[in-house]
Amino acid sequence: MRLPERITITEVGPRDGLQNEDLFFETPRKLELIARLAAAGLRRIEAASFVSPAAIPQMRDAREVITQVPRWPGVTYVALVPNERGARDAIAAGADELATVVSASETHNRRNVNRTIEESLAGIEKVAELAAAAALPWAGYVSTAFGCPYEGAVAPAQVLRVAARLRALGAYAVALGDTIGSADPRQVHTLVREVRDGLPDVPLRLHFHDTRGTGLANVLAAMDEGVASFDGSVGGLGGCPYAPGAAGNVATEDLVYMAHRMGIATGVDLAALIDVARWVESLVGRALPGRIKGAGEAVLRDSA
Ligand code: ZN
């Protein structure tokens, strides 16, 4: 098995996590969460989504969050932007990096944002122009890359087509999203190979949901294909809009634990991250799906 020496983690709990939680985190709570994650060593944090407040009320304070979040040397705050307007607002608020999303599945894209894939890509072209003018990097997410809640299987060639379009528009990296948490490790091997062979110069990131318990196995399969960049959500915060009650993203602390045990550096202080996960649990008032719960787990860690 090929393993990277180091992985880069993008913490998406404050965005993908919180937007799938019922409880609204007031702005100061969000700011505290982000500050604690940065203090635990996370250097890339998806801090907000500049979506319509009517569509996702959890993100209605995106501007305040990005404006007020404490700045740490070397910490990149990513803002998800669904359209040109969101990009303008995110840039004005001071986001360090933008993330755009388009689905690999036509039906999911229509149901999700009421646009065709082509229409979404046209919108992303506008976002790319704004990002370029502001000298901000942006990454392109291909959601439902491993399966669609409406169409079922998604062809790897289709994922590659969308990824190639994002790259052509200027995405510095492409993220493959297992939006519904249906991916399995063999599929990860196949899809990553297909995209990497088609776009050999494009840094890939993998965004797994642990809906069905295959999250870490999928991470491992992606590592074996040379991927060294992953999304995680502290505590496994969040869920899946298509599977009520399901776990959220791969829990960041579980990902860090596994990496450190295998001698893969993350830069994250596992004990500090576990503390954050437990604090988040106390706020949401339920046990989060992350498996690493106690400080005793942290002493098992290798040096990061
Ligand atoms: Zn997600």
Side-chain angles (χ1 to χ4, degrees):
M1 173 174 289
R2 284 176 300 170
L3 292 173
E5 287 181 12
R6 181 181 188 86
I7 57 170
T8 300
I9 296 174
T10 302
E11 168 61 50
V12 299
R15 200 282 302 168
D16 205 352
L18 290 187
Q19 89 171 39
N20 285 299
E21 291 288 334
D22 293 332
L23 179 77
F24 178 73
F25 272 49
E26 300 290 341
T27 311
R29 279 274 187 262
K30 287 195 179 100
L31 295 173
E32 188 177 359
L33 172 61
I34 294 164
R36 281 180 171 233
L37 291 165
L42 287 151
R43 288 295 170 264
R44 294 179 47 79
I45 300 174
E46 196 172 84
S49 175
F50 284 76
V51 287
S52 145
I56 302 181
Q58 284 285 11
M59 295 288 119
R60 61 182 181 259
D61 56 353
R63 192 181 66 81
E64 289 80 1
V65 169
I66 294 288
T67 306
Q68 296 170 26
V69 74
R71 298 286 161 165
W72 292 60
V75 176
T76 296
Y77 292 122
V78 182
L80 191 70
V81 296
N83 51 37
E84 194 179 350
R85 180 181 170 177
R88 276 186 204 287
D89 291 347
I91 292 167
D96 301 312
E97 182 177 318
L98 305 181
T100 66
V101 184
V102 59
S103 181
S105 145
E106 196 69 58
T107 311
H108 181 264
N109 208 69
R110 269 183 194 280
R111 298 270 189 113
N112 199 31
V113 294
N114 201 23
R115 290 177 171 191
T116 64
I117 290 173
E118 276 308 316
E119 287 165 349
S120 280
L121 287 167
I124 290 172
E125 186 170 9
K126 301 282 187 200
V127 171
E129 287 167 9
L130 292 169
L136 286 191
W138 65 277
Y141 276 87
V142 184
S143 65
T144 65
F146 296 87
C148 168
Y150 309 108
E151 295 182 14
V154 173
Q158 169 63 8
V159 177
L160 174 60
R161 257 196 301 280
V162 174
R165 293 289 300 281
L166 290 167
R167 178 62 164 185
L169 290 174
Y172 84 91
V174 167
L176 305 178
D178 183 17
T179 311
I180 58 170
S182 65
D184 68 79
R186 174 177 280 187
Q187 184 188 16
V188 171
H189 276 286
T190 305
L191 182 60
V192 169
R193 222 173 279 168
E194 172 103 9
V195 175
R196 194 195 50 216
D197 290 353
L199 296 166
D201 301 327
V202 180
L204 288 182
R205 189 190 315 155
L206 274 285
H207 175 98
F208 291 118
H209 281 252
D210 200 27
T211 315
R212 294 168 181 82
T214 53
L216 281 183
N218 291 334
V219 166
L220 195 58
M223 283 183 184
D224 195 32
E225 288 295 336
V227 176
S229 186
F230 297 94
D231 287 358
S233 173
V234 63
L237 188 66
C240 176
Y242 306 100
N249 298 92
V250 167
T252 312
E253 66 273 21
D254 293 353
L255 174 59
V256 168
Y257 176 80
M258 185 177 83
H260 290 185
R261 290 291 294 169
M262 292 193 296
I264 299 167
T266 65
V268 177
D269 178 337
L270 180 58
L273 183 59
I274 291 169
D275 283 347
V276 182
R278 290 168 70 88
W279 172 70
V280 173
E281 280 190 330
S282 75
L283 293 179
V284 298
R286 67 182 171 90
L288 290 173
R291 271 81 160 180
I292 309 293
K293 300 289 186 188
E297 307 271 11
V299 301
L300 291 169
R301 78 189 189 278
D302 290 323
S303 64

